[in-house]
mmCIF file of all heavy atoms in Angstrom:
data_model
loop_
_atom_site.group_PDB
_atom_site.id
_atom_site.type_symbol
_atom_site.label_atom_id
_atom_site.label_comp_id
_atom_site.label_asym_id
_atom_site.label_seq_id
_atom_site.Cartn_x
_atom_site.Cartn_y
_atom_site.Cartn_z
ATOM 1 N N ALA Z 453 121.106 -14.809 188.574
ATOM 2 C CA ALA Z 453 121.886 -14.191 189.684
ATOM 3 C C ALA Z 453 120.903 -13.296 190.466
ATOM 4 O O ALA Z 453 120.442 -12.288 189.939
ATOM 5 C CB ALA Z 453 123.048 -13.385 189.169
ATOM 6 N N GLU Z 454 120.599 -13.672 191.684
ATOM 7 C CA GLU Z 454 119.683 -12.885 192.503
ATOM 8 C C GLU Z 454 120.463 -12.006 193.443
ATOM 9 O O GLU Z 454 121.333 -12.474 194.216
ATOM 10 C CB GLU Z 454 118.747 -13.836 193.279
ATOM 11 C CG GLU Z 454 117.754 -13.074 194.170
ATOM 12 C CD GLU Z 454 116.769 -13.996 194.844
ATOM 13 O OE1 GLU Z 454 116.726 -15.196 194.479
ATOM 14 O OE2 GLU Z 454 116.049 -13.554 195.740
ATOM 15 N N ASP Z 455 120.116 -10.718 193.478
ATOM 16 C CA ASP Z 455 120.745 -9.757 194.406
ATOM 17 C C ASP Z 455 122.239 -9.975 194.603
ATOM 18 O O ASP Z 455 122.690 -10.169 195.732
ATOM 19 C CB ASP Z 455 120.014 -9.788 195.761
ATOM 20 C CG ASP Z 455 118.695 -9.067 195.746
ATOM 21 O OD1 ASP Z 455 118.375 -8.463 194.748
ATOM 22 O OD2 ASP Z 455 118.001 -9.105 196.785
ATOM 23 N N PRO Z 456 123.040 -9.953 193.537
ATOM 24 C CA PRO Z 456 124.487 -10.154 193.714
ATOM 25 C C PRO Z 456 125.094 -9.025 194.542
ATOM 26 O O PRO Z 456 126.136 -9.224 195.192
ATOM 27 C CB PRO Z 456 125.035 -10.161 192.301
ATOM 28 C CG PRO Z 456 124.019 -9.395 191.501
ATOM 29 C CD PRO Z 456 122.697 -9.728 192.102
ATOM 30 N N LEU Z 459 121.013 -3.571 194.932
ATOM 31 C CA LEU Z 459 120.477 -3.138 193.613
ATOM 32 C C LEU Z 459 119.554 -1.950 193.784
ATOM 33 O O LEU Z 459 118.635 -1.969 194.626
ATOM 34 C CB LEU Z 459 119.746 -4.285 192.932
ATOM 35 C CG LEU Z 459 120.548 -5.559 192.652
ATOM 36 C CD1 LEU Z 459 119.659 -6.645 192.108
ATOM 37 C CD2 LEU Z 459 121.698 -5.279 191.681
ATOM 38 N N TRP Z 460 119.746 -0.958 192.918
ATOM 39 C CA TRP Z 460 118.863 0.217 192.900
ATOM 40 C C TRP Z 460 118.512 0.488 191.462
ATOM 41 O O TRP Z 460 119.275 0.180 190.555
ATOM 42 C CB TRP Z 460 119.587 1.419 193.484
ATOM 43 C CG TRP Z 460 120.076 1.199 194.882
ATOM 44 C CD1 TRP Z 460 121.366 0.839 195.240
ATOM 45 C CD2 TRP Z 460 119.324 1.206 196.090
ATOM 46 N NE1 TRP Z 460 121.474 0.633 196.599
ATOM 47 C CE2 TRP Z 460 120.230 0.858 197.125
ATOM 48 C CE3 TRP Z 460 117.991 1.505 196.411
ATOM 49 C CZ2 TRP Z 460 119.802 0.782 198.466
ATOM 50 C CZ3 TRP Z 460 117.586 1.435 197.731
ATOM 51 C CH2 TRP Z 460 118.482 1.092 198.741
ATOM 52 N N PHE Z 465 122.740 -0.266 187.804
ATOM 53 C CA PHE Z 465 121.994 -1.520 187.630
ATOM 54 C C PHE Z 465 121.779 -1.789 186.168
ATOM 55 O O PHE Z 465 121.942 -2.933 185.688
ATOM 56 C CB PHE Z 465 120.658 -1.470 188.352
ATOM 57 C CG PHE Z 465 119.738 -2.566 187.889
ATOM 58 C CD1 PHE Z 465 119.932 -3.887 188.324
ATOM 59 C CD2 PHE Z 465 118.711 -2.330 187.002
ATOM 60 C CE1 PHE Z 465 119.094 -4.914 187.876
ATOM 61 C CE2 PHE Z 465 117.888 -3.330 186.516
ATOM 62 C CZ PHE Z 465 118.082 -4.648 186.989
ATOM 63 N N GLN Z 469 122.916 -5.287 184.266
ATOM 64 C CA GLN Z 469 122.036 -6.218 183.552
ATOM 65 C C GLN Z 469 122.388 -6.301 182.060
ATOM 66 O O GLN Z 469 122.412 -7.391 181.494
ATOM 67 C CB GLN Z 469 120.572 -5.807 183.707
ATOM 68 C CG GLN Z 469 119.564 -6.691 182.989
ATOM 69 C CD GLN Z 469 119.624 -8.137 183.452
ATOM 70 O OE1 GLN Z 469 118.988 -8.521 184.381
ATOM 71 N NE2 GLN Z 469 120.432 -8.956 182.775
ATOM 72 N N PRO Z 475 119.935 -13.286 183.749
ATOM 73 C CA PRO Z 475 118.966 -12.361 184.339
ATOM 74 C C PRO Z 475 119.389 -11.991 185.767
ATOM 75 O O PRO Z 475 119.776 -12.877 186.538
ATOM 76 C CB PRO Z 475 117.674 -13.173 184.350
ATOM 77 C CG PRO Z 475 117.907 -14.320 183.428
ATOM 78 C CD PRO Z 475 119.368 -14.621 183.460
ATOM 79 N N ILE Z 476 119.335 -10.724 186.106
ATOM 80 C CA ILE Z 476 119.630 -10.277 187.459
ATOM 81 C C ILE Z 476 118.274 -10.195 188.182
ATOM 82 O O ILE Z 476 117.469 -9.308 187.878
ATOM 83 C CB ILE Z 476 120.347 -8.905 187.494
ATOM 84 C CG1 ILE Z 476 121.579 -8.914 186.586
ATOM 85 C CG2 ILE Z 476 120.646 -8.495 188.907
ATOM 86 C CD1 ILE Z 476 122.648 -9.923 187.048
ATOM 87 N N LEU Z 477 118.057 -11.103 189.069
ATOM 88 C CA LEU Z 477 116.786 -11.165 189.794
ATOM 89 C C LEU Z 477 116.773 -10.162 190.936
ATOM 90 O O LEU Z 477 117.644 -10.252 191.842
ATOM 91 C CB LEU Z 477 116.514 -12.582 190.306
ATOM 92 C CG LEU Z 477 115.247 -12.814 191.130
ATOM 93 C CD1 LEU Z 477 114.009 -12.417 190.333
ATOM 94 C CD2 LEU Z 477 115.168 -14.271 191.563
ATOM 95 N N ILE Z 478 115.833 -9.247 190.928
ATOM 96 C CA ILE Z 478 115.764 -8.188 191.930
ATOM 97 C C ILE Z 478 114.769 -8.605 193.016
ATOM 98 O O ILE Z 478 113.588 -8.817 192.743
ATOM 99 C CB ILE Z 478 115.266 -6.857 191.283
ATOM 100 C CG1 ILE Z 478 116.125 -6.528 190.068
ATOM 101 C CG2 ILE Z 478 115.321 -5.731 192.307
ATOM 102 C CD1 ILE Z 478 115.323 -5.892 188.950
ATOM 103 N N ASP Z 479 115.299 -8.716 194.235
ATOM 104 C CA ASP Z 479 114.443 -9.154 195.352
ATOM 105 C C ASP Z 479 114.312 -8.105 196.423
ATOM 106 O O ASP Z 479 113.261 -7.515 196.620
ATOM 107 C CB ASP Z 479 115.020 -10.439 195.941
ATOM 108 C CG ASP Z 479 114.315 -10.876 197.224
ATOM 109 O OD1 ASP Z 479 113.160 -10.456 197.421
ATOM 110 O OD2 ASP Z 479 114.918 -11.618 198.020
ATOM 111 N N ARG Z 480 115.378 -7.814 197.130
ATOM 112 C CA ARG Z 480 115.304 -6.989 198.351
ATOM 113 C C ARG Z 480 114.640 -5.651 198.116
ATOM 114 O O ARG Z 480 113.849 -5.211 198.966
ATOM 115 C CB ARG Z 480 116.705 -6.814 198.939
ATOM 116 C CG ARG Z 480 116.731 -5.975 200.205
ATOM 117 C CD ARG Z 480 118.085 -5.980 200.861
ATOM 118 N NE ARG Z 480 118.428 -7.326 201.299
ATOM 119 C CZ ARG Z 480 119.582 -7.643 201.925
ATOM 120 N NH1 ARG Z 480 120.482 -6.703 202.112
ATOM 121 N NH2 ARG Z 480 119.836 -8.874 202.277
ATOM 122 N N ASN Z 481 114.923 -4.999 197.012
ATOM 123 C CA ASN Z 481 114.382 -3.656 196.762
ATOM 124 C C ASN Z 481 113.255 -3.656 195.765
ATOM 125 O O ASN Z 481 112.971 -2.640 195.134
ATOM 126 C CB ASN Z 481 115.505 -2.727 196.378
ATOM 127 C CG ASN Z 481 116.432 -2.407 197.472
ATOM 128 O OD1 ASN Z 481 116.040 -2.376 198.647
ATOM 129 N ND2 ASN Z 481 117.705 -2.149 197.161
ATOM 130 N N CYS Z 482 112.570 -4.807 195.602
ATOM 131 C CA CYS Z 482 111.408 -4.881 194.724
ATOM 132 C C CYS Z 482 110.205 -5.297 195.599
ATOM 133 O O CYS Z 482 109.857 -6.463 195.640
ATOM 134 C CB CYS Z 482 111.630 -5.853 193.611
ATOM 135 S SG CYS Z 482 110.270 -5.868 192.383
ATOM 136 N N THR Z 483 109.608 -4.313 196.289
ATOM 137 C CA THR Z 483 108.544 -4.622 197.209
ATOM 138 C C THR Z 483 107.248 -3.887 196.883
ATOM 139 O O THR Z 483 106.337 -3.854 197.715
ATOM 140 C CB THR Z 483 108.972 -4.281 198.685
ATOM 141 O OG1 THR Z 483 109.234 -2.882 198.747
ATOM 142 C CG2 THR Z 483 110.211 -5.036 199.081
ATOM 143 N N ASP Z 487 108.409 0.088 192.703
ATOM 144 C CA ASP Z 487 109.792 -0.416 192.604
ATOM 145 C C ASP Z 487 109.991 -1.180 191.318
ATOM 146 O O ASP Z 487 110.969 -1.024 190.609
ATOM 147 C CB ASP Z 487 110.083 -1.356 193.789
ATOM 148 C CG ASP Z 487 110.118 -0.656 195.127
ATOM 149 O OD1 ASP Z 487 110.301 0.566 195.164
ATOM 150 O OD2 ASP Z 487 109.923 -1.363 196.130
ATOM 151 N N ALA Z 488 109.026 -2.068 190.997
ATOM 152 C CA ALA Z 488 109.135 -2.883 189.781
ATOM 153 C C ALA Z 488 109.209 -2.026 188.526
ATOM 154 O O ALA Z 488 110.007 -2.219 187.647
ATOM 155 C CB ALA Z 488 107.936 -3.845 189.699
ATOM 156 N N PHE Z 491 112.674 -0.347 188.177
ATOM 157 C CA PHE Z 491 113.707 -1.289 187.700
ATOM 158 C C PHE Z 491 113.498 -1.649 186.224
ATOM 159 O O PHE Z 491 114.468 -1.753 185.463
ATOM 160 C CB PHE Z 491 113.727 -2.536 188.564
ATOM 161 C CG PHE Z 491 114.567 -2.430 189.825
ATOM 162 C CD1 PHE Z 491 113.950 -2.309 191.051
ATOM 163 C CD2 PHE Z 491 115.953 -2.429 189.740
ATOM 164 C CE1 PHE Z 491 114.716 -2.196 192.207
ATOM 165 C CE2 PHE Z 491 116.724 -2.328 190.863
ATOM 166 C CZ PHE Z 491 116.103 -2.182 192.134
ATOM 167 N N ILE Z 492 112.253 -1.854 185.839
ATOM 168 C CA ILE Z 492 111.999 -2.154 184.423
ATOM 169 C C ILE Z 492 112.463 -1.028 183.540
ATOM 170 O O ILE Z 492 113.024 -1.258 182.462
ATOM 171 C CB ILE Z 492 110.487 -2.457 184.232
ATOM 172 C CG1 ILE Z 492 110.111 -3.840 184.825
ATOM 173 C CG2 ILE Z 492 110.112 -2.429 182.757
ATOM 174 C CD1 ILE Z 492 108.664 -4.126 184.838
ATOM 175 N N GLY Z 495 115.976 -1.356 182.664
ATOM 176 C CA GLY Z 495 116.399 -2.586 181.977
ATOM 177 C C GLY Z 495 116.134 -3.894 182.730
ATOM 178 O O GLY Z 495 116.599 -4.946 182.309
ATOM 179 N N GLY Z 496 115.432 -3.798 183.838
ATOM 180 C CA GLY Z 496 115.183 -5.009 184.625
ATOM 181 C C GLY Z 496 114.319 -5.998 183.856
ATOM 182 O O GLY Z 496 113.308 -5.638 183.210
ATOM 183 N N ILE Z 497 114.701 -7.284 183.935
ATOM 184 C CA ILE Z 497 113.961 -8.325 183.240
ATOM 185 C C ILE Z 497 113.549 -9.467 184.143
ATOM 186 O O ILE Z 497 112.885 -10.410 183.697
ATOM 187 C CB ILE Z 497 114.806 -8.902 182.064
ATOM 188 C CG1 ILE Z 497 116.121 -9.468 182.565
ATOM 189 C CG2 ILE Z 497 115.043 -7.852 180.993
ATOM 190 C CD1 ILE Z 497 116.949 -10.212 181.526
ATOM 191 N N ALA Z 498 113.901 -9.388 185.444
ATOM 192 C CA ALA Z 498 113.599 -10.464 186.377
ATOM 193 C C ALA Z 498 113.240 -9.855 187.749
ATOM 194 O O ALA Z 498 114.076 -9.189 188.380
ATOM 195 C CB ALA Z 498 114.773 -11.416 186.503
ATOM 196 N N LEU Z 499 112.016 -10.112 188.214
ATOM 197 C CA LEU Z 499 111.523 -9.518 189.428
ATOM 198 C C LEU Z 499 111.034 -10.576 190.411
ATOM 199 O O LEU Z 499 110.360 -11.535 190.001
ATOM 200 C CB LEU Z 499 110.369 -8.566 189.147
ATOM 201 C CG LEU Z 499 110.616 -7.507 188.075
ATOM 202 C CD1 LEU Z 499 109.277 -6.846 187.687
ATOM 203 C CD2 LEU Z 499 111.601 -6.487 188.579
ATOM 204 N N SER Z 500 111.367 -10.426 191.671
ATOM 205 C CA SER Z 500 110.896 -11.324 192.710
ATOM 206 C C SER Z 500 109.609 -10.754 193.313
ATOM 207 O O SER Z 500 109.528 -9.582 193.658
ATOM 208 C CB SER Z 500 111.924 -11.520 193.829
ATOM 209 O OG SER Z 500 111.450 -12.431 194.791
ATOM 210 N N THR Z 501 108.594 -11.594 193.375
ATOM 211 C CA THR Z 501 107.316 -11.166 194.016
ATOM 212 C C THR Z 501 107.058 -12.107 195.163
ATOM 213 O O THR Z 501 107.030 -13.338 194.979
ATOM 214 C CB THR Z 501 106.119 -11.168 193.016
ATOM 215 O OG1 THR Z 501 105.924 -12.529 192.598
ATOM 216 C CG2 THR Z 501 106.396 -10.304 191.820
ATOM 217 N N ARG Z 505 105.379 -11.271 201.875
ATOM 218 C CA ARG Z 505 105.989 -10.015 202.290
ATOM 219 C C ARG Z 505 105.088 -8.811 201.972
ATOM 220 O O ARG Z 505 104.985 -7.861 202.759
ATOM 221 C CB ARG Z 505 107.335 -9.811 201.578
ATOM 222 C CG ARG Z 505 107.994 -8.487 201.826
ATOM 223 C CD ARG Z 505 109.446 -8.432 201.335
ATOM 224 N NE ARG Z 505 109.549 -8.611 199.896
ATOM 225 C CZ ARG Z 505 110.698 -8.634 199.232
ATOM 226 N NH1 ARG Z 505 111.831 -8.535 199.874
ATOM 227 N NH2 ARG Z 505 110.722 -8.805 197.925
ATOM 228 N N LEU Z 553 110.092 -17.245 185.871
ATOM 229 C CA LEU Z 553 111.561 -17.262 185.752
ATOM 230 C C LEU Z 553 112.112 -18.574 186.288
ATOM 231 O O LEU Z 553 112.943 -19.220 185.648
ATOM 232 C CB LEU Z 553 112.143 -16.068 186.542
ATOM 233 C CG LEU Z 553 113.660 -15.950 186.514
ATOM 234 C CD1 LEU Z 553 114.174 -15.565 185.132
ATOM 235 C CD2 LEU Z 553 114.125 -14.931 187.553
#
Side-chain angles (χ1 to χ4, degrees):
E454 180 175 349
D455 281 356
L459 299 175
W460 305 98
F465 165 76
Q469 179 60 88
I476 306 298
L477 178 58
I478 307 143
D479 172 23
R480 179 170 298 180
N481 289 331
C482 186
T483 62
D487 293 339
F491 274 106
I492 287 172
I497 58 173
L499 307 169
S500 181
T501 64
R505 175 169 63 181
L553 180 70

